Amino acid sequence: MARNKNFLLSTDTIIFDLDGTLLESMGVWNEIDRILIHELGGPWEEEMMVGKRRDALLARFSGMENPYGEYCGALGRIYGSSLSKEEILALRHTIDKDFLGTRVDYKPGAVELIKRLHDLGKTLIIATTTKRPNITIYRTENRNIMDKAPLDDYFAAIYTREDVKAIKPSPEVHERILHDLHKKREECFILEDSLSGILAARAAGIPVGAVYDRYSADDKEKIQALSDCWYDSLDDAVKELDTLLTN
């Protein structure tokens, strides 16, 4: 895209979203929720529809104390379950533990990009709506992640759902990062895959690059219009960085 301003090289702090940006995980979450819906008495629903509804419901509940609990409660109402939202959320966690520990992996190009930026002395941060127990699984149990680029080795801080009152598209997590790291907005660059993530970056006033993920394809035009640059993949971001370093 024409608005690319070499943010990967010109900024010193890179803030990564996690699911769908660094990790090939959105399809995993869709499968988890397909199983959950079936357990609640619903049909085996189409994967993309499950993901779109989850995104819409989480955006609606983003300012509430427990958006994922409210999401589970909404699923219970849709499918006529007698379980409470707390019970449905606990069931979801039971389903997701094996998936997160064995199936989630880095997206193509992610490991190389992380290592290149780290070697350049960039401060790398993760800002995710994922809850801390899931991050613990990625940090301590998921060999796909641990063997390729352990999170603790490359990221200076990881901000999770528990660190904010409102999840994306609220800019709260990015505002907190600016405060905690004593950074100016122009010193940072955000990489995101979803419309809610792009909107959060925009609201925070921080430059943002969009990374294609097929689960956000329906929002592609909006995402491109709102982002400062676009990458078809993280491999493209690595190529851009190599070009900048050799010129």
Side-chain angles (χ1 to χ4, degrees):
M1 294 176 65
R3 296 195 303 280
N4 197 318
K5 298 179 181 179
N6 304 337
F7 293 106
L8 286 173
L9 201 56
S10 64
T11 54
D12 64 24
T13 300
I14 313 297
I15 303 169
F16 289 89
D17 174 54
L18 193 62
D19 293 304
T21 300
L22 280 178
L23 299 182
E24 198 74 83
S25 52
M26 298 309 293
V28 170
W29 281 111
N30 290 350
E31 185 60 24
I32 288 168
D33 282 342
R34 288 182 75 233
I35 295 171
L36 176 63
I37 288 165
H38 190 66
E39 291 285 333
L40 296 176
W44 287 107
E45 294 193 341
E46 194 275 323
E47 176 195 6
M48 297 296 279
M49 188 191 79
V50 169
K52 290 176 186 176
R53 181 174 54 206
R54 181 180 60 247
D55 290 345
L57 288 172
L58 287 175
R60 183 193 304 174
F61 301 134
S62 63
M64 301 184 74
E65 182 177 355
N66 188 348
Y68 283 93
E70 298 301 327
Y71 164 66
C72 287
L75 289 183
R77 291 189 294 275
I78 290 169
Y79 298 104
S81 173
S82 61
L83 297 177
S84 68
K85 62 184 178 183
E86 292 81 9
E87 289 171 325
I88 297 172
L89 183 60
L91 176 59
R92 191 173 191 254
H93 288 327
T94 299
I95 297 167
D96 72 33
K97 194 175 190 308
D98 176 64
F99 279 75
L100 300 185
T102 61
R103 302 198 192 188
V104 172
D105 202 347
Y106 280 111
K107 295 187 78 169
V111 172
E112 191 167 2
L113 181 62
I114 291 167
K115 291 183 175 181
R116 297 282 185 90
L117 291 171
H118 186 266
D119 288 346
L120 288 170
K122 305 292 184 181
T123 299
L124 306 185
I125 305 292
I126 288 174
T128 178
T129 59
T130 293
K131 298 186 76 171
R132 192 171 294 122
N134 296 343
I135 298 298
T136 299
I137 293 174
Y138 294 153
R139 289 176 54 246
T140 63
E141 298 180 32
N142 186 308
R143 300 309 311 185
N144 297 324
I145 295 171
M146 295 167 64
D147 292 345
K148 295 174 184 176
L151 297 181
D152 293 339
D153 289 357
Y154 291 94
F155 292 93
I158 300 175
Y159 290 78
T160 67
R161 168 67 190 95
E162 292 84 353
D163 294 311
V164 294
K165 293 181 179 178
I167 62 174
K168 305 168 190 175
S170 166
E172 182 182 351
V173 66
H174 300 309
E175 296 288 356
R176 177 166 178 182
I177 291 169
L178 292 173
H179 177 269
D180 290 354
L181 274 63
H182 306 289
K183 294 290 182 180
K184 297 178 181 178
R185 301 175 198 280
E186 61 270 20
E187 294 175 319
C188 301
F189 179 51
I190 296 171
L191 282 170
E192 278 279 1
D193 67 289
S194 70
L195 181 58
S196 63
I198 298 293
L199 290 170
R202 274 279 163 257
I206 300 173
V208 58
V211 181
Y212 175 77
D213 187 80
R214 70 186 184 94
Y215 295 101
S216 299
D218 286 352
D219 294 321
K220 183 177 179 180
E221 290 186 6
K222 292 179 182 178
I223 290 172
Q224 287 184 320
L226 290 168
S227 61
D228 294 288
C229 55
W230 171 266
Y231 300 104
D232 287 327
S233 69
L234 292 179
D235 283 323
D236 283 351
V238 173
K239 291 175 184 176
E240 175 189 282
L241 192 57
D242 286 344
T243 299
L244 294 171
L245 290 170
T246 56
N247 287 343

